[in-house]
Amino acid sequence: MSTEPPTTTTNMLSISSKKTERIVWTPYLREYISNGYAEHPDLYTDDFRVLDELRNDCIYMETNQKALNRLIKYYAQLVFISAKFPIDVGIEFPWYLTFGEGQKPVSHRNMNYEKACVLYSIGAVYSQLGNAENRSTTEGIKRACNYFQHAAGCFQLLLDTVVPEMRMAPTIDMSPYALQTLINLMLAQAQECVWQKAAMDQLRDGTIARLALKIAEFYDAACELASNSSISNVYPKSWLTHMHIKALHFNAAAQFRKSCECISQDKYGEEVARLQLASEFVKRAFELKNNKSIAPSVMNDLRSLQHIISTNLARAEKDNDVIYLERIPLPAALPAITKTQMVKAQAPTEIADPVSLMHDKDLPHPVIGLPLFQKLVPFAVHQAASVYVDRKERLVKEDIIHKLEELNSVYHSSIESLHLPALLATTETSTGLPESIMQQAAEVRSGGGSQALYDMWEQVQRASAKNADILEDAFNALDEEHEADEALRSRYTTEWQRPESHILTQQLAAQGQKHRQTLTSAQKADLIVRNKLDTWANIIDVLCLTREELESSIPSSEGNSPSDSLMRIKKLVEDMNVNMRLRKDLVDQARKMSNADDISPALLKKAAELTAKSPIIKIEAAQFEDLFVDELRKYDTFIMTVDQQDEQQSTILRQLNEAYHQYKARVNDQSSGAKREKALQNLNQAYFKYKEIKTNLTEGLKFYGDHAKGLNTFCDTCRDYCYRRQAESEQLVRKLSLGMGNLSLQDQENHPQQPQQSNWSRW
């Protein structure tokens, strides 16, 4: 009885390599190196060329070791450069799904997607090489087994590591179910090689049975995964039939081999039971043979096994019936066969850890060679530099510049609340006017005073009225269309079959109401500005007087010398002016230091320390945290100075407040000095009100100008709606008049016939 396994290589499956289209790395990497690394890309001309050549090898794949080595080299370089470039460098990587014709490629700007597709193709080529081996020799079987295990290892690495690194959903042929299907299929075929070698070497029947049952388990798992609804259309239907037949074949082969072992153990009843079970497995397999695309060799193997089983079953049943008379156990009562797994998913080192091979020896690795772009600083270093720049700029901006600006704002608002500018002006001269007041008066005078503000307010009102007219025109158009529609609806009653106007214009009406609310709010704001202008117009006009008239309008304080409190206030303000200049210098120095602050040398030194013991260690920006802390300490002096300024300002403001209240307590409200102070305060405040009102009116003009653009668009939309609605009305009226035959000739002339077609669903 010959039980030798088949030697043909066509009874196994191989996977097609993924197809792609031509792309080039060079322009994208050149640009990134120029911008991201601040290096000249010409330094890497040879690296660009090699990488593009390796990428082009992916277009036309062949089934040979040379083509496989080129793929492995490309994959290894992708692994290496992924530490130097971001996942998206601007390249769209187009790859077709593994199965299916006439489809479009799936493209992603994702370097890890490219890496995943290349690794998939490597696993596919390994499966093709395994299937191409001559398994009639021991060496051929060993090579085929290794190829299938390498294929499984590639798909396992893809499933566990590379696909998750893509950080996006994989294509369906690289989904978890699809990859796990391929892993089980490749392991089944690798285990089948082991089983074939065991049979050739005539190992014990029990050993061969255990190997065969594990093959069946792998095929069963692959078939079940491939049948999952999420990937049911990924693989050809013939694949599922092939794997199902194979699973049944090796379940039968396992039972047959175990029955042979039963003979040597004098278990004749069990022998018959196992042969019957094996015969049932074969029968079920033949019931699946309707798919004509199943390889003939698979069916020949099955027929050969069927012949062997049927021959032995006839002999065993006869011997047991005549000689041994043993009870034949039910299949469920048979002792289970222990499965023995002799294969595993194992990617070669060139794929599992290519970077270590690039640095292991002084000479280039025979397959993957030297790493490309080796002299480029790791991308993580640039990330770390960006992190440091962000932190540095945030520190300078928030802890130094913004805090000083906040201190300045607090100081100015404090002295304004105490009216100190006008009060200090009284110490400049007891008669005449302070220079600051004269400058303010000149600005108001040149600006036209209150009359110019009233003129601006009139411009604002004209713009407001114009916008209101535009909005009213839009509403009138909608109202007229609504009235016309209602009139026709009343005339034709149930025969007027089209949507009512108020339904179609809901969205337009809502937009119009929003515009109306906006206009109403703006007009209320205009009235507030007008009231402010009316309140301050007379005092603003005082600033428009001539110098002589202005001086004569302000009381003098002759005979009243500044009090000690007033002199103290002046001294404190002068001290603060010194601090304000110091703050300006401090901001300039901090910005200058920040602009010149480059920690690239320190980062490179740290990166070298991190990779000193292992060149393949993955560098991350977080590993530079201690360096960031040390480098940012150079700004501590600025921060301490800001804190000192905060303390000094608090002290000076407290002293200013005390001195001001002491001064007010000593000054008689009816004294000439107090009157002069009050007059100067009023003029100073009038100047700021003038500026404020002018700003309000300027902003109002700009608002109405911008709003008019939106209103015109809205009005055009309403008119367009009404025009189209009118055209539709004429069309319907014409149709109804022809149908009823009771319209006058003039009615017919006024409503020419048009094709009936409603376009209002889009509204």
Side-chain angles (χ1 to χ4, degrees):
M1 296 181 299
S2 173
T3 61
E4 294 299 319
T7 58
T8 178
T9 61
T10 58
N11 64 344
M12 291 186 178
L13 296 175
S14 60
I15 303 154
S16 299
S17 304
K18 289 181 74 69
K19 303 299 182 184
T20 185
E21 295 178 351
R22 179 182 175 85
I23 63 166
V24 288
W25 285 85
T26 298
Y28 300 94
L29 295 188
R30 283 182 66 89
E31 181 179 359
Y32 189 82
I33 290 173
S34 297
N35 299 330
Y37 285 92
E39 293 189 32
H40 201 292
D42 286 349
L43 296 172
Y44 302 97
T45 300
D46 290 338
D47 300 75
F48 296 140
R49 176 183 54 77
V50 172
L51 192 62
D52 281 338
E53 289 175 353
L54 291 171
R55 180 53 172 76
N56 290 336
D57 289 337
C58 298
I59 299 176
Y60 305 106
M61 287 303 305
E62 299 177 355
T63 306
N64 56 56
Q65 190 64 48
K66 182 179 179 181
L68 176 63
N69 288 346
R70 295 284 288 177
L71 265 185
I72 293 174
K73 181 175 182 178
Y74 181 49
Y75 175 79
Q77 296 299 338
L78 287 176
V79 173
F80 183 78
I81 68 173
S82 63
K84 295 179 177 289
F85 296 100
I87 194 172
D88 179 4
V89 291
I91 307 177
E92 289 275 355
F93 297 103
W95 288 90
Y96 291 87
L97 296 179
T98 310
F99 298 94
E101 298 295 334
Q103 58 188 343
K104 294 182 179 180
V106 179
S107 299
H108 292 293
R109 287 171 49 168
N110 186 315
M111 190 189 302
N112 287 337
Y113 174 64
E114 170 85 347
K115 188 163 59 176
C117 292
V118 172
L119 182 56
Y120 188 103
S121 291
I122 293 172
V125 174
Y126 272 126
S127 75
Q128 296 163 23
L129 291 173
N131 206 17
E133 279 292 337
N134 180 3
R135 288 185 283 120
S136 62
T137 66
T138 298
E139 291 303 316
I141 291 175
K142 288 181 178 178
R143 286 193 298 269
C145 182
N146 286 333
Y147 283 138
F148 289 132
Q149 289 184 90
H150 288 337
C154 290
F155 296 126
Q156 190 72 59
L157 180 62
L158 194 58
L159 175 65
D160 295 341
T161 305
V162 181
V163 167
E165 287 177 349
M166 286 164 47
R167 290 180 284 182
M168 65 178 194
T171 53
I172 191 170
D173 57 348
M174 293 193 292
S175 63
Y177 278 116
L179 292 176
Q180 196 63 60
T181 297
L182 298 182
I183 293 167
N184 280 285
L185 174 60
M186 292 298 103
L187 290 176
Q189 296 185 165
Q191 180 88 357
E192 189 172 343
C193 292
V194 176
W195 166 83
Q196 185 177 352
K197 175 68 166 54
M200 289 175 63
D201 293 345
Q202 297 183 352
L203 298 185
R204 294 175 181 271
D205 289 317
T207 300
I208 298 175
R210 291 193 293 274
L211 293 172
L213 197 60
K214 187 61 185 178
I215 299 171
E217 183 179 67
F218 279 133
Y219 276 122
D220 268 331
C223 191
E224 182 178 356
L225 288 162
S227 302
N228 185 275
S229 58
S230 64
I231 61 165
S232 58
N233 296 323
V234 171
Y235 303 114
K237 299 299 182 184
S238 61
W239 273 41
L240 273 68
T241 306
H242 173 100
M243 292 186 290
H244 199 174
I245 289 175
K246 281 280 194 172
L248 293 169
H249 179 115
F250 283 100
N251 271 309
Q255 294 298 333
F256 169 72
R257 284 289 184 169
K258 194 65 175 176
S259 73
C260 294
E261 186 181 59
C262 290
I263 297 175
S264 62
Q265 297 174 347
D266 298 332
K267 298 178 180 178
Y268 304 108
E270 182 179 334
E271 176 197 10
V272 173
R274 291 194 181 277
L275 286 170
Q276 289 174 345
L277 185 57
S279 180
E280 181 61 28
F281 280 127
V282 172
K283 179 181 177 183
R284 287 168 55 191
F286 272 111
E287 291 172 355
L288 298 171
K289 70 176 182 178
N290 293 333
N291 194 323
K292 297 181 180 180
S293 58
I294 299 299
S297 57
V298 174
M299 302 312 299
N300 290 337
D301 294 343
L302 191 62
R303 278 189 286 270
S304 176
L305 179 61
Q306 183 187 42
H307 175 72
I308 294 170
I309 292 172
S310 60
T311 301
N312 279 272
L313 178 58
R315 186 265 312 154
E317 286 178 334
K318 180 179 179 181
D319 289 349
N320 192 56
D321 290 343
V322 175
I323 303 172
Y324 307 115
L325 304 176
E326 285 192 5
R327 184 181 63 84
I328 300 173
L330 294 174
L334 291 173
I337 302 173
T338 304
K339 296 182 285 287
T340 300
Q341 179 174 338
M342 297 298 293
V343 297
K344 62 180 180 179
Q346 188 174 20
T349 308
E350 290 87 352
I351 293 169
D353 191 10
V355 179
S356 63
L357 297 179
M358 292 178 177
H359 296 285
D360 267 355
K361 302 175 182 178
D362 296 332
L363 295 175
H365 187 274
V367 175
I368 60 181
L370 293 173
L372 301 178
F373 305 100
Q374 188 171 9
K375 295 181 181 179
L376 267 180
V377 177
F379 178 65
V381 174
H382 289 273
Q383 287 181 311
S386 297
V387 170
Y388 177 76
V389 169
D390 289 342
R391 290 194 187 180
K392 172 192 66 177
E393 291 179 350
R394 186 166 63 250
L395 182 148
V396 171
K397 186 177 181 180
E398 296 179 3
D399 295 347
I400 300 175
I401 297 175
H402 280 185
K403 194 163 185 181
L404 289 176
E405 289 175 347
E406 184 179 349
L407 289 175
N408 292 344
S409 177
V410 170
Y411 170 69
H412 287 302
S413 63
S414 297
I415 65 173
E416 286 292 338
S417 66
L418 297 175
H419 306 294
L420 292 186
L423 176 61
L424 292 175
T426 62
T427 65
E428 297 178 16
T429 175
S430 60
T431 60
L433 290 174
E435 187 60 31
S436 59
I437 295 294
M438 295 307 301
Q439 291 175 355
Q440 293 172 353
E443 182 179 342
V444 174
R445 194 160 47 246
S446 65
S450 66
Q451 186 56 50
L453 297 181
Y454 278 115
D455 292 343
M456 287 184 68
W457 193 84
E458 290 297 334
Q459 293 178 31
V460 170
Q461 294 311 293
R462 287 194 292 273
S464 175
K466 181 180 178 181
N467 285 12
D469 290 342
I470 296 172
L471 182 59
E472 195 62 29
D473 287 346
F475 276 119
N476 287 339
L478 296 179
D479 290 342
E480 290 172 3
E481 190 282 323
H482 176 72
E483 291 171 1
D485 180 67
E486 288 300 310
L488 291 170
R489 193 177 303 280
S490 299
R491 178 179 178 182
Y492 292 104
T493 62
T494 58
E495 295 176 345
W496 192 251
Q497 296 295 325
R498 70 168 184 171
E500 298 182 27
S501 296
H502 70 88
I503 296 176
L504 297 179
T505 58
Q506 286 180 353
Q507 185 177 357
L508 289 175
Q511 292 178 10
Q513 289 302 326
K514 288 183 179 179
H515 283 301
R516 178 168 284 169
Q517 292 170 6
T518 300
L519 269 179
T520 301
S521 299
Q523 290 166 352
K524 290 180 180 179
D526 294 343
L527 291 177
I528 294 174
V529 175
R530 176 58 187 256
N531 291 335
K532 195 188 307 180
L533 175 57
D534 291 341
T535 302
W536 287 92
N538 292 334
I539 305 179
I540 289 173
D541 287 339
V542 172
L543 288 170
C544 294
L545 299 174
T546 64
R547 183 184 184 96
E548 292 77 13
E549 292 172 336
L550 192 57
E551 287 180 346
S552 63
S553 69
I554 304 299
S556 66
S557 59
E558 293 180 353
N560 291 307
S561 60
S563 66
D564 293 340
S565 298
L566 196 57
M567 296 304 294
R568 185 182 174 201
I569 290 172
K570 185 175 182 180
K571 177 63 170 61
L572 291 171
V573 171
E574 289 174 350
D575 290 344
M576 272 305 302
N577 289 338
V578 172
N579 283 332
M580 300 292 277
R581 291 191 292 272
L582 187 150
R583 292 174 185 179
K584 184 178 182 302
D585 292 341
L586 194 66
V587 168
D588 292 341
Q589 292 171 15
R591 283 176 172 157
K592 185 176 180 180
M593 177 180 284
S594 176
N595 292 336
D597 189 4
D598 181 12
I599 67 165
S600 296
L603 290 173
L604 291 173
K605 182 180 178 182
K606 179 69 173 179
E609 293 174 357
L610 292 172
T611 58
K613 295 182 180 180
S614 174
I616 62 170
I617 188 171
K618 187 173 182 180
I619 302 176
E620 297 179 352
Q623 293 171 288
F624 299 92
E625 187 63 35
D626 293 341
L627 178 62
F628 296 159
V629 174
D630 291 339
E631 291 291 331
L632 289 174
R633 286 200 178 104
K634 63 171 70 83
Y635 297 95
D636 287 353
T637 302
F638 293 99
I639 295 174
M640 290 174 62
T641 305
V642 171
D643 291 339
Q644 292 171 1
Q645 283 291 311
D646 192 0
E647 294 177 4
Q648 291 178 14
Q649 177 166 301
S650 297
T651 301
I652 290 175
L653 286 178
R654 186 179 66 255
Q655 294 174 351
L656 275 173
N657 192 60
E658 293 172 355
Y660 175 76
H661 285 91
Q662 289 174 2
Y663 168 78
K664 295 297 289 183
R666 295 176 184 176
V667 174
N668 188 330
D669 289 342
Q670 299 302 317
S671 68
S672 59
K675 292 179 180 179
R676 177 177 174 80
E677 177 190 341
K678 183 65 175 176
L680 291 174
Q681 287 178 357
N682 287 340
L683 290 178
N684 184 65
Q685 193 169 1
Y687 166 75
F688 286 108
K689 288 296 180 182
Y690 168 81
K691 298 279 286 183
E692 179 183 327
I693 295 169
K694 187 174 182 179
T695 299
N696 294 153
L697 294 172
T698 301
E699 292 174 349
L701 284 172
K702 183 178 185 305
F703 163 77
Y704 284 119
D706 294 339
H707 191 220
K709 297 176 183 177
L711 285 173
N712 282 321
T713 300
F714 171 70
C715 189
D716 290 344
T717 302
C718 293
R719 287 171 177 166
D720 180 63
Y721 161 77
C722 294
Y723 171 78
R724 293 176 181 273
R725 186 77 161 166
Q726 181 182 3
E728 186 185 48
S729 295
E730 293 174 356
Q731 170 189 355
L732 292 175
V733 167
R734 181 61 179 170
K735 179 182 178 182
L736 291 172
S737 65
L738 290 176
M740 296 170 61
N742 59 354
L743 288 180
S744 67
L745 178 60
Q746 186 170 349
D747 286 335
Q748 296 179 27
E749 291 173 349
N750 290 337
H751 301 282
Q753 185 176 8
Q754 297 179 20
Q756 182 178 6
Q757 182 178 0
S758 176
N759 295 321
W760 303 112
S761 60
R762 67 189 182 97
W763 289 97

